[in-house]
Amino acid sequence: MAYGGNNLMNMVLHKVYAAQRNKFKGSGNSNGFAYSYDVTDVPVARLVANSSTHNLEMDLKTDVTAMGGIINFAGNLSMMATGKLAISQGKLSLTALKIIPTTNNVIDRAVISLINSAIVPMISNTLSTIPIPQLTNVFGTGLSAGIQTAKVIAGPALEVGARIAGRTGIAAADAPGNLASLNSGNATNAQLIALVSGAAANELVKATTPALSHNFDKRGSGAGFGAGIKGTIKSSIPVLEVKNGSGIASTTISFTGLKGGIRIPIKGWTWLSLPAPSVKVVITHDLTSSGNSGIIKLTGVSAISVSFSWPTILKPVEAVLKTLLNGILTLFRGMISNAVSGRKFELFKLPSTIPGTNLGATLSFTPGGLSYFKSSIQAIVQIRG
């Protein structure tokens, strides 16, 4: 999920207005009138929740002149544009755009007709070309997040839902607890909040980190007896579990064909099947930023420890068997560590523009803005432009 507020929408309008000032003015002739118009200030946008007709409003201050016949009008009119931010061909677009004069001035009906028939369509064409931020463009490329839903919620905030391409049944990210920061800045300093569900992050970890196995047959001696242990030790594909605002990566260690042996003088080897213990082992990791990326980085493996009751016949060599087993666990821990250490999973990747546009901006993670949140990973992104 990704969230943007009024500040981000107004940042876009400020940039477009400054770069394309001439597109916000025009002139022409219609039905015997000569007219001109000029949107004199940057349009001001407001996201609107709980409306069935529109979810975005823009205030427009417009100078209008109209001359023809007995009409000679010049004045500054207030107009309001309304539209609906919706998904069109896989992108977030502004649809159902309408513009209506909201001024209280008494205006001749002929001038109103001219504004509606000639000036409003020209302003509407300009507004329809304004790029809409594609909030999902802050997710990492490995997520291949495609826009699935878009709506304006109380806050107000534009909420855009996404999912990993080709994957279904993955739990959605949590909603952020506080949307106030999305509307507390200004048109040159905005914020965006993006969240990846723990389940989606887990898909990245599982897809790129292997399961391991190691066959062993170790022998030793003690108290005049030979001792041995053999079998196969395995580690599962690592998983990441996020809940209650914390994340734990782990792998499950298990054994198959585990046997312990004792060699009695003259009699030879006796092998007994041992319990097949299973234990969850923590894979250490960091949730951190690296340049313009927000990543999970695996760093190592905690110590592996297993215990069980040894059969009575093996008691004379129990100490030797424990030493042999600990050596196997140490070796296998090193194998896992070599396989996972340094692996990085990119959850967020910040562009050098307002997401999904060609409007330049500086994006960065706020201090402490990359964190676990409930059952998700949250990024609070500062956008300066």
Side-chain angles (χ1 to χ4, degrees):
M1 307 293 283
Y3 299 81
N6 289 331
N7 295 338
L8 183 56
M9 302 304 299
N10 284 310
M11 179 181 288
V12 171
L13 288 171
H14 269 255
K15 286 181 171 292
V16 172
Y17 186 86
Q20 304 177 21
R21 180 69 181 87
N22 288 336
K23 288 188 176 182
F24 289 84
K25 60 179 69 176
S27 60
N29 293 277
S30 177
N31 297 325
F33 289 96
Y35 65 87
S36 66
Y37 72 90
D38 183 3
V39 180
T40 55
D41 291 327
V42 180
V44 177
R46 290 183 305 277
L47 293 165
V48 178
N50 303 318
S51 170
S52 60
T53 59
H54 64 281
N55 56 24
L56 179 67
E57 297 175 350
M58 287 180 277
D59 292 332
L60 309 167
K61 293 182 178 180
T62 310
D63 282 344
V64 174
T65 62
M67 300 180 64
I70 62 172
I71 299 298
N72 186 356
F73 174 84
N76 183 269
L77 305 182
S78 296
M79 299 183 180
M80 184 171 72
T82 65
K84 194 145 193 164
L85 295 167
I87 303 169
S88 176
Q89 297 180 342
K91 294 187 65 176
L92 194 60
S93 303
L94 179 59
T95 64
L97 185 63
K98 297 178 181 178
I99 300 177
I100 55 174
T102 59
T103 184
N104 291 324
N105 297 346
V106 178
I107 306 174
D108 188 279
R109 287 185 178 182
V111 177
I112 288 291
S113 178
L114 172 67
I115 290 171
N116 287 332
S117 64
I119 295 176
V120 163
M122 295 178 74
I123 297 175
S124 181
N125 285 340
T126 297
L127 295 180
S128 67
T129 64
I130 292 173
I132 303 300
Q134 307 297 308
L135 304 185
T136 56
N137 281 31
V138 300
F139 292 117
T141 53
L143 291 171
S144 300
I147 296 177
Q148 297 296 306
T149 60
K151 62 181 178 180
V152 173
I153 61 175
L158 173 62
E159 177 190 83
V160 179
R163 69 177 178 85
I164 302 177
R167 305 288 180 89
T168 58
I170 298 175
D174 296 283
N178 185 3
L179 297 172
S181 65
L182 301 180
N183 299 303
S184 62
N186 53 53
T188 60
N189 182 12
Q191 283 193 354
L192 179 156
I193 300 175
L195 297 104
V196 174
S197 71
N202 185 43
E203 289 295 310
L204 286 182
V205 174
K206 291 195 303 180
T208 57
T209 312
L212 298 174
S213 66
H214 173 64
N215 298 322
F216 58 89
D217 185 346
K218 296 294 183 181
R219 308 294 172 100
S221 61
F225 298 97
I229 190 167
K230 60 185 178 181
T232 301
I233 186 172
K234 301 178 180 180
S235 66
S236 65
I237 294 175
V239 296
L240 175 69
E241 184 178 22
V242 183
K243 62 181 181 180
N244 300 325
S246 64
I248 298 176
S250 65
T251 181
T252 299
I253 305 300
S254 60
F255 293 84
T256 58
L258 183 61
K259 292 184 177 183
I262 183 170
R263 189 187 63 204
I264 301 172
I266 301 174
K267 187 175 180 181
W269 284 98
T270 297
W271 291 93
L272 298 174
S273 294
L274 300 175
S278 177
V279 60
K280 182 179 288 188
V281 177
V282 171
I283 295 177
T284 55
H285 74 282
D286 294 325
L287 175 61
T288 184
S289 60
S290 176
N292 65 343
S293 295
I295 63 172
I296 290 174
K297 180 181 178 181
L298 305 184
T299 56
V301 185
S302 62
I304 304 172
S305 177
V306 298
S307 62
F308 48 82
S309 297
W310 299 88
T312 302
I313 193 175
L314 298 180
K315 290 294 184 180
V317 291
E318 180 178 336
V320 179
L321 292 173
K322 286 181 177 180
T323 299
L324 294 174
L325 180 59
N326 286 335
I328 294 162
L329 297 178
T330 299
L331 173 66
F332 197 55
R333 178 190 179 193
M335 291 174 60
I336 300 172
S337 184
N338 289 338
V340 303
S341 293
R343 285 185 180 266
K344 300 176 183 179
F345 309 98
E346 187 181 63
L347 303 177
F348 308 98
K349 188 175 182 62
L350 306 184
S352 57
T353 62
I354 295 175
T357 77
N358 61 0
L359 303 172
T362 301
L363 280 71
S364 60
F365 299 104
T366 63
L370 191 63
S371 63
Y372 288 110
F373 176 78
K374 295 185 178 179
S375 298
S376 303
I377 300 100
Q378 176 176 267
I380 302 176
V381 179
Q382 198 75 38
I383 306 175
R384 301 185 187 277

